[in-house]
């Protein structure tokens, strides 16, 4: 990526029910000279967030999904003498049909949606629900594929995204007020504002909640440090992968609304690797947790590339996403193709050459 190329909406939306003040870092003009939209917030990097920051701005736009871009499937490698090929999946956000099609393109599932990849290894980078039509269907599929892959000698695993935290909070705490740092907010209102679907909540069961609450936040596989969010906030939760994952799970186990809100707030931060100093932020994570590259979802590639401005833009054409975006001196791989914006739901085999 060309550092600093374009600027887009900066964070998830969280309603503030009182005492709201627009943060000082909201720009007066939007990208490419457009007048500023409430969602166009452009800090240079994560350290620009003020103390007590909470996500309060307008969410990423959802453009009508007319055409899903297609890409050729990568051939699976021969894994007879070792672990199977490694694949990662970007943000799904309830788009079950698009997910099924992308997995079929990579020969990971068959026409019936069953695991057919033998010893292949598959990692989902989080954000299974909200915005799209069938988030619970996505979770059910991932849970089923986990069992099928394990039976075949491979695996299918998943990371915790900020939308998993949001859905857990909405179910557990509903309208319980939390201290957002900018007034009073609730998980229920934040979930609805960030694309929460009533059909998902109606179908959400205890085993879904238990599965989400046990997800790891960070993992290292074959030299790839896998996370959901492009943020350095993981460093706040421990100096090892095990410590971070334990801290996140313990926080959810304590079931304190303010603690879970703070976890959601930090996992919602984005763009730490994008601009000047971004490569150094990546290195700080790699030096702490291991790995030679970081692979993340969360921030749609069209925003990282500056290809989409504000919702007020006259050009509503679908952003073109050819594949994962490698940036930050080649140290970061972005995997959110912007499926909620008529972009592409990405499934990629690793390693990915620059």
């Amino acid at each position: 990526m060309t550092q600093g190329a374009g600027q887009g909406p900066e964070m998830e939306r969280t309603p503030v029910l009182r005492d709201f003040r627009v943060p000082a870092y909201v720009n007066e003009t939007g990208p490419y000279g457009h007048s500023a939209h409430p969602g166009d917030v452009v800090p240079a990097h994560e350290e620009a967030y003020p103390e007590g920051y909470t996500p309060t701005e307008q969410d990423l736009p959802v453009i009508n999904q007319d055409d899903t871009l297609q890409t050729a499937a990568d051939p699976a490698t021969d894994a007879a003498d070792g672990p199977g090929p490694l694949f990662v999946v970007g943000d799904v956000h309830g788009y079950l049909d698009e997910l099924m099609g992308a997995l079929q393109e990579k020969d990971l599932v068959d026409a019936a949606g069953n695991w057919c990849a033998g010893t292949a290894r598959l990692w989902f980078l989080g954000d299974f629900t909200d915005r799209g039509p069938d988030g619970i269907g996505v979770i059910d599929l991932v849970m089923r594929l986990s069992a099928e892959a394990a039976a075949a000698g491979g695996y299918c695993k998943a990371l915790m995204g900020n939308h998993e935290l949001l859905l857990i909070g909405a179910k557990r705490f509903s309208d319980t007020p939390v201290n957002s740092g900018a007034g009073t907010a609730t998980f229920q209102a934040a979930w609805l504002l960030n694309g929460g679907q009533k059909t998902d909540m109606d179908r959400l069961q205890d085993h879904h909640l238990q599965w989400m609450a046990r997800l790891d936040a960070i993992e290292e596989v074959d030299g790839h440090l896998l996370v959901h969010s492009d943020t350095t906030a993981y460093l706040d939760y421990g100096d090892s992968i095990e410590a971070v994952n334990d801290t996140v799970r313990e926080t959810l186990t304590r079931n304190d609304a303010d603690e879970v809100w703070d976890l959601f707030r930090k996992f919602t931060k984005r763009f730490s690797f994008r601009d000047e100093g971004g490569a150094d932020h990546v290195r700080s994570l790699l030096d702490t947790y291991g790995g030679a590259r970081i692979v993340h979802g969360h921030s749609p590639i069209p925003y990282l590339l500056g290809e989409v401005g504000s919702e007020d833009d006259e050009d509503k054409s679908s952003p073109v996403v050819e594949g994962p975006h490698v940036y930050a001196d080649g140290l970061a791989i972005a995997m959110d193709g912007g499926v909620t914006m008529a972009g592409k739901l990405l499934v990629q085999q690793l390693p990915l050459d620059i």
Side-chain angles (χ1 to χ4, degrees), residues 49-221:
Y49 291 98
E51 184 69 24
Y53 152 78
T54 190
T56 56
E57 303 305 322
Q58 174 130 358
D59 199 3
L60 304 172
V62 177
I63 300 172
N64 291 331
Q65 181 142 352
D66 297 319
D67 298 311
T68 301
L69 302 178
Q70 302 297 322
T71 188
D74 291 339
T77 59
D78 183 3
D81 297 326
L86 175 65
F87 293 83
V88 289
V89 184
D91 300 37
V92 181
H93 282 300
Y95 286 89
L96 179 60
D97 291 344
E98 288 76 7
L99 172 61
M100 194 70 74
L103 293 174
Q104 289 171 354
E105 284 185 3
K106 299 295 185 180
D107 295 323
L108 292 165
V109 301
D110 60 22
N114 298 313
W115 182 264
C116 65
T119 59
R121 297 167 294 161
L122 179 63
W123 275 96
F124 285 81
L125 300 180
D127 278 9
F128 304 104
T129 67
D130 304 336
R131 304 196 185 111
D134 194 0
I136 298 302
V138 170
I139 292 175
D140 284 337
L141 174 64
V142 177
M143 294 175 70
R144 176 171 61 79
L145 291 180
S146 297
E148 294 176 0
Y155 66 67
C156 172
K157 299 183 180 182
L159 293 181
M160 173 81 70
N162 61 306
H163 280 261
E164 281 67 67
L165 293 168
L166 187 56
L167 183 57
I168 291 171
K171 181 66 173 180
R172 287 185 180 178
F173 308 117
S174 188
D175 290 324
T176 300
V178 294
N179 181 11
S180 72
T184 301
T186 72
F187 270 106
Q188 175 71 12
W191 173 72
L192 290 171
L193 195 60
N194 282 283
Q197 303 294 305
K198 184 178 184 299
T199 52
D200 283 346
M201 188 63 75
D202 290 343
R203 296 164 57 202
L204 183 64
Q205 299 179 38
D206 286 345
H207 69 273
H208 297 129
L209 287 167
Q210 292 166 5
W211 178 80
M212 288 189 291
R214 289 195 296 264
L215 294 175
D216 287 334
I218 183 170
E219 282 294 343
E220 188 270 329
V221 185

